[in-house]
Amino acid sequence: MKRLFRSSQDKMICGVCGGIAEYFNIDPTLIRLALVLISCLSFGTMIIAYIVAAIIMPQA
């Protein structure tokens, strides 16, 4: 069973995007670009979701 963790190796700020990329086995840069694009389109709502995910997701 796969579990979602914050990445300890591939992190820029908190490791949330790196952890999501490891879970789905894709490039973390794509996750980071999607986060920035969605944040711009949703007037910053994704930034709040990122902060919540950083608090909730356990460290790997």
Side-chain angles (χ1 to χ4, degrees):
M1 179 176 194
K2 289 174 67 172
R3 293 200 40 173
L4 184 61
F5 292 104
R6 286 186 292 144
S7 177
S8 58
Q9 291 88 19
D10 189 18
K11 65 180 186 176
M12 299 286 274
I13 298 175
C14 293
V16 173
C17 292
I20 293 170
E22 288 176 11
Y23 184 80
F24 289 111
N25 199 21
I26 57 175
D27 188 27
T29 305
L30 295 174
I31 300 294
R32 291 182 185 112
L33 287 173
L35 177 76
V36 170
L37 180 66
I38 294 170
S39 292
C40 291
L41 295 174
S42 67
F43 305 109
T45 305
M46 282 303 293
I47 295 172
I48 296 170
Y50 183 91
I51 293 169
V52 169
I55 294 169
I56 293 174
M57 288 173 61
Q59 183 73 30

